[in-house]
Amino acid sequence: MKLRRFFPLLLLFCLLWLWVRPIFAHAVPEFSNPAPNALLEELPDNLIIQFNEPIVANLSRIDLLTQGGEAVETGPLQLIDADGRTAAVSLPDLDQGAYLVSWQVLSTVDGHTTSGTFAFGYGVAATAVATENTVIAQLSPLSATARWLTLTGIALLMGLFAFRLLVWNPIVADVDLEAEEEALDLKLAQVGIRIGIIGIVLIGLGLVVIFIDQNRVYDLLQTANMQSWISTRFGTMWLVRFLLLALSHFNLSLFVDVKNGRKELRGWEWWLGLLLAIGLSLTVSLISHSAALTDETTQAILIDWVHVLAGTIWVGGLLFLAISLWQARLLKNEPRAWLNLSLIINFSAVAAICVGLLLTSGGYLSAKHVGGWTELVGTAYGLLLLGKIGLALLTLAIAGLNLLFLKPRLSAVYETPDSDRTPRVLRGFGRLVWVEMTIALLILAAAAVLTDLQRGVDAPLLADAPGQATITQSAEDLQVEMQIEPALVGNNRFDILIMDENGDPVTNAESVSVRYTFLGQSVGSSTGEAEALGNGRYRLEGSYISLIGTWQVEVSIRRPDTFDTFAAYRLEAGVGGNIREQDSGVRPLESFAKFMNRTGNGATGVGIVLFALLWGFVGVRAAKNEGQLVALLAISLVCFWLGGSQLYTFFTEEYTPAKFATNPILPDVESIAIGQELFNENCIACHGAEGRGDGPTALSLSPPPADFAAGHTATHTDGDLFFWILEGIEETAMPAFGDRFTEEQAWHLVNYVRRLSIRE
């Protein structure tokens, strides 16, 4: 491409980039006054809600309702800060009572509507209305349809111009074609122009559907509302897309034609069409989820743009490749085999570059928008992304078959075009391309819905239905039953029933406390004192189980004239938030998320390095010339550097020898007894009988032995303690017991040391 052809693209990029600022994807409240569920003794002058992004005042609302559902007249909504994120309405004099705040706002950027409610009380508790603060990021089927129409239309235009300029023309430009091959060239151009018109119609329909969807909520036929909407980033991009679409139609209708034969198939109008299609793709990225980032905004939008460009060129190219193969079916075997082989060679290189850019940019965007492995398997955004990745892997498998198996077969039938297997090989190639193209269109549909969904990093996890979990554990002479409701991560009620061996209630407990320890990582423990309800029943309420993963819960029962009794449980908090016994099993996606969370940068680093090596192999096989090889290997080198960086971080900052060790033994009565015996025989001399670090030899040691009652163990995982017991601690008097203890004994000792840390 000549240098002057880059200038219009650069000019378009600079003009549209004027709209780039740090923005967000859905407006979510960060602060409100009154706060949710607040009990006010004095009313503020204004009801204020601060969102995490700018909103459109004229097209947003904040309503106030009484507990009877009657609307309270407030002042008009106003934005009271410079960046347009804080909305306020003035409050009248209110009677004492419970009130519900209902709000709905429009993002200034991408047209997403977010709504929600929360309650507060004035002189009475807010629970008279509601106890939950709700936020709903509405998914509009019309909006998702419009985004799919837009992406599909852009893909058709990209396919028309990019396939012609980058794949087809290099094959036929400098070759003397037979009459039937020239006719095929013209026929493909004619069909392509009609498909380009269809693409323009789809984008136009997308614009209409967007307007209908927005008008349904915001009455854009009113001049004031329309002016407010056009002034938003989303409205401005709608208008810019309309203008670019008009220019594309003008260019395609007046200049791109075949009236004067094949010489019209390489002119400036084709490059202009490609440039306008690239501009249309930029309007998608400027109102995408990448604008949700408060940092690296320009970089994120640029990478998102690369993602959209690569995806639409790849999908559109697949469509035109399939059409080319279909149109060429009437050629004789020899020219048909030559054309098929030339197409797979040229398209493989272009497609490989696009897919490489798709995967690398998609990895970056996923890291920014999903939030983590738990969000990947536990939110609607993450699950749909997994589905999209699955479809992408399927198309890559088909592309691999084409590259590794069909390409050599096409070369063989080109050498022997009159062989019996030639038609079979050519038909098989065409069918695979059509299958790959169909799957690619489904990927575009998934991408359209993803763009309209709330990002995983912002979205709540898909919640399981509330329920009840009941678990029972024997502890010395007691049976301790714990009932958890609603058995979801967050606030729960823990009802505890203590019975003796005969099943009769134990009524002489002086105190009952519950200790909660998250086993996934070192975050410390929390303890709550249960309230006595009588007849052996105790109750504790609170958000003690607050993370997805495995928890250890220990009920401590203090009775007169005996040692404290402990009942230990292992619970699993699933991705959907449901709390259940660990023995009930872990779902496959939960296991995957737990493993990836535990490995941190290690697993992702290994995955990226393996991809880099694989992509280097693909690049060598797919590249047609040195320039394409450099582009493909550059993707491989960048991924190798990224993966290597993550592995370096993992081994220098995250890795410990016991990082993947999990305590398999529940700290029940038997385990504690074994651990106590081991402690008495091997640890008392330094740590003392109660683990206070006050043993007979403690004063002579530097540094002194750890005091387990001082919270020392709460800052370390069971795996850390296990490793130190077996391997010792350097530069301390802590010896290695690996030659004296089995691993099972070491875990029993870990459980006993944990128990010492909660004894008084």
Side-chain angles (χ1 to χ4, degrees):
M1 186 188 296
K2 294 182 179 179
L3 210 51
R4 62 184 175 82
R5 289 174 177 155
F6 281 108
F7 179 74
L9 177 60
L10 181 62
L11 178 61
L12 176 65
F13 175 80
C14 293
L15 288 174
L16 292 179
W17 209 255
L18 294 175
W19 283 284
V20 176
R21 297 184 302 273
I23 47 179
F24 297 78
H26 290 82
V28 178
E30 293 182 323
F31 164 82
S32 69
N33 183 29
N37 301 317
L39 175 58
L40 306 179
E41 296 182 0
E42 188 174 322
L43 279 175
D45 294 330
N46 297 291
L47 193 160
I48 299 172
I49 306 177
Q50 179 178 299
F51 296 91
N52 66 338
E53 69 162 285
I55 63 172
V56 185
N58 293 351
L59 303 179
S60 302
R61 63 171 177 79
I62 298 177
D63 297 327
L64 184 64
L65 305 174
T66 67
Q67 64 188 55
E70 299 173 354
V72 176
E73 186 174 349
T74 61
L77 186 147
Q78 296 180 326
L79 299 179
I80 59 174
D81 60 351
D83 54 5
R85 296 191 302 125
T86 306
V89 295
S90 60
L91 292 175
D93 292 333
L94 298 176
D95 296 329
Q96 289 192 351
Y99 293 89
L100 183 74
V101 178
S102 172
W103 54 268
Q104 177 176 290
V105 295
L106 174 68
S107 165
T108 63
V109 180
D110 56 9
H112 284 144
T113 298
T114 313
S115 61
T117 61
F118 66 88
F120 69 90
Y122 174 38
V124 300
T127 52
V129 174
T131 59
E132 295 185 356
N133 175 25
T134 65
V135 178
I136 302 173
Q138 298 172 356
L139 171 64
S140 167
L142 285 177
S143 178
T145 300
R147 294 173 193 272
W148 180 78
L149 289 170
T150 300
L151 287 174
T152 305
I154 293 174
L156 296 183
L157 290 174
M158 283 291 189
L160 168 62
F161 296 110
F163 185 83
R164 165 64 62 172
L165 295 171
L166 303 178
V167 178
W168 183 267
N169 280 353
I171 296 174
V172 302
D174 300 320
V175 178
D176 292 330
L177 300 179
E178 300 292 337
E180 60 180 1
E181 294 168 341
E182 290 189 354
L184 174 63
D185 190 13
L186 289 172
K187 178 67 173 176
L188 183 63
Q190 292 170 342
V191 172
I193 291 171
R194 287 196 288 270
I195 291 176
I197 294 295
I198 293 174
I200 288 175
V201 171
L202 291 179
I203 299 172
L205 284 175
L207 290 172
V208 172
V209 173
I210 288 172
F211 188 85
I212 291 173
D213 182 50
Q214 297 283 295
N215 181 68
R216 180 174 55 88
V217 181
Y218 301 109
D219 192 13
L220 299 182
L221 297 180
Q222 290 191 17
T223 303
N225 290 351
M226 186 65 175
Q227 289 175 343
S228 298
W229 185 70
I230 288 295
S231 67
T232 67
R233 168 83 67 82
F234 185 76
T236 302
M237 285 300 104
W238 185 91
L239 185 59
V240 170
R241 187 179 298 167
F242 176 82
L243 295 175
L244 289 173
L245 187 65
L247 289 174
S248 296
H249 183 264
F250 181 76
N251 177 59
L252 198 57
S253 301
L254 297 183
F255 300 115
V256 179
D257 58 50
V258 293
K259 296 177 182 177
N260 297 320
R262 294 179 61 238
K263 67 179 182 180
E264 296 288 344
L265 302 181
R266 298 172 187 82
W268 60 268
E269 61 274 13
W270 291 86
W271 290 105
L272 176 60
L274 180 61
L275 175 68
L276 292 171
I278 291 172
L280 286 167
S281 69
L282 182 56
T283 66
V284 173
S285 295
L286 285 170
I287 54 174
S288 68
H289 279 316
S290 293
L293 303 177
T294 56
D295 58 346
E296 301 180 352
T297 309
T298 300
Q299 173 180 301
I301 294 178
L302 179 60
I303 292 175
D304 190 278
W305 189 27
V306 169
H307 193 70
V308 174
L309 279 175
T312 51
I313 290 174
W314 174 57
V315 175
L318 277 172
L319 174 62
F320 276 83
L321 176 63
I323 292 172
S324 301
L325 296 175
W326 174 255
Q327 294 290 336
R329 73 191 187 282
L330 301 178
L331 293 177
K332 296 178 181 178
N333 280 351
E334 182 176 356
R336 184 183 177 191
W338 164 77
L339 183 60
N340 276 246
L341 180 60
S342 300
L343 283 171
I344 195 173
I345 291 173
N346 274 21
F347 184 75
S348 292
V350 174
I353 293 173
C354 289
V355 171
L357 292 173
L358 268 174
L359 293 174
T360 50
S361 61
Y364 171 89
L365 296 173
S366 296
K368 293 294 184 182
H369 300 321
V370 175
W373 296 107
T374 300
E375 288 79 8
L376 179 64
V377 302
T379 64
Y381 185 94
L383 290 174
L384 183 57
L385 180 60
L386 280 177
K388 180 185 172 186
I389 292 171
L391 291 173
L393 291 177
L394 186 56
T395 61
L396 288 178
I398 296 173
L401 288 175
N402 288 335
L403 185 63
L404 298 177
F405 299 102
L406 270 176
K407 183 179 177 182
R409 292 182 182 180
L410 287 172
S411 297
V413 300
Y414 174 64
E415 298 294 334
T416 57
D418 295 326
S419 67
D420 293 338
R421 69 171 186 165
T422 297
R424 186 173 66 254
V425 172
L426 297 177
R427 284 196 303 270
F429 178 44
R431 288 169 182 167
L432 276 179
V433 171
W434 278 104
V435 171
E436 188 178 359
M437 184 270 298
T438 302
I439 297 172
L441 288 175
L442 292 176
I443 292 175
L444 279 187
V449 178
L450 279 173
T451 308
D452 209 55
L453 279 176
Q454 190 175 10
R455 299 185 310 154
V457 70
D458 300 322
L461 295 176
L462 295 172
D464 291 319
Q468 188 180 85
T470 302
I471 50 180
T472 303
Q473 184 64 263
S474 299
E476 299 179 8
D477 59 334
L478 301 178
Q479 289 284 330
V480 184
E481 179 185 282
M482 176 181 286
Q483 192 176 84
I484 309 170
E485 192 174 0
L488 295 173
V489 169
N491 191 67
N492 280 281
R493 186 179 73 242
F494 301 88
D495 285 322
I496 301 165
L497 173 61
I498 304 173
M499 299 171 288
D500 61 21
E501 296 172 315
N502 300 318
D504 297 322
V506 174
T507 59
N508 67 336
E510 296 177 348
S511 67
V512 174
S513 62
V514 187
R515 177 183 169 117
Y516 303 84
T517 305
F518 183 61
L519 300 182
Q521 53 185 303
S522 299
V523 295
S525 300
S526 59
T527 303
E529 193 75 23
E531 175 189 0
L533 301 179
N535 202 30
R537 296 184 179 275
Y538 297 81
R539 175 171 293 174
L540 177 65
E541 277 194 64
S543 298
Y544 293 101
I545 299 179
S546 54
L547 295 174
I548 303 297
T550 306
W551 288 79
Q552 185 163 288
V553 179
E554 293 178 274
V555 178
S556 173
I557 303 163
R558 175 159 298 175
R559 293 174 291 170
D561 303 323
T562 185
F563 291 111
D564 290 354
T565 303
F566 296 88
Y569 310 88
R570 288 274 174 87
L571 302 175
E572 189 70 30
V575 169
N578 65 309
I579 299 172
R580 58 188 187 273
E581 281 192 271
Q582 187 183 32
D583 292 341
S584 63
V586 180
R587 300 166 186 170
L589 286 178
E590 291 175 352
S591 298
F592 169 75
K594 287 175 65 176
F595 173 78
M596 296 303 294
N597 284 329
R598 174 165 286 191
T599 55
N601 285 312
T604 53
V606 169
I608 294 172
V609 168
L610 290 176
F611 168 76
L613 295 174
L614 176 63
W615 197 254
F617 171 76
V618 171
V620 172
R621 296 295 299 266
K624 180 183 177 184
N625 52 51
E626 290 183 357
Q628 294 174 350
L629 181 61
V630 168
L632 290 168
L633 291 183
I635 295 172
S636 181
L637 289 174
V638 168
C639 291
F640 193 85
W641 176 78
L642 289 173
S645 299
Q646 293 208 351
L647 287 175
Y648 177 80
T649 301
F650 174 75
F651 284 109
T652 57
E653 299 179 14
E654 299 177 6
Y655 178 76
T656 63
K659 183 173 181 64
F660 302 106
T662 301
N663 190 342
I665 300 175
L666 187 70
D668 54 19
V669 174
E670 181 181 0
S671 174
I672 296 301
I674 296 172
Q676 183 177 16
E677 182 178 354
L678 292 169
F679 185 87
N680 291 340
E681 293 174 357
N682 300 276
C683 309
I684 283 181
C686 297
H687 292 284
E690 298 295 330
R692 306 280 184 175
D694 56 357
T697 64
L699 293 177
S700 63
L701 301 178
S702 179
D707 178 359
F708 299 132
H712 173 73
T713 58
T715 59
H716 299 287
T717 64
D718 282 3
D720 290 335
L721 303 180
F722 173 79
F723 177 77
W724 290 329
I725 289 170
L726 294 180
E727 302 296 332
I729 302 177
E730 293 182 359
E731 300 181 0
T732 73
M734 174 67 186
F737 289 91
D739 58 345
R740 281 187 266 177
F741 295 167
T742 64
E743 289 191 358
E744 182 178 339
Q745 288 175 318
W747 286 123
H748 288 306
L749 186 54
V750 167
N751 287 338
Y752 182 69
V753 169
R754 288 281 190 203
R755 183 62 49 82
L756 287 174
S757 68
I758 59 176
R759 282 187 172 177
E760 296 181 1

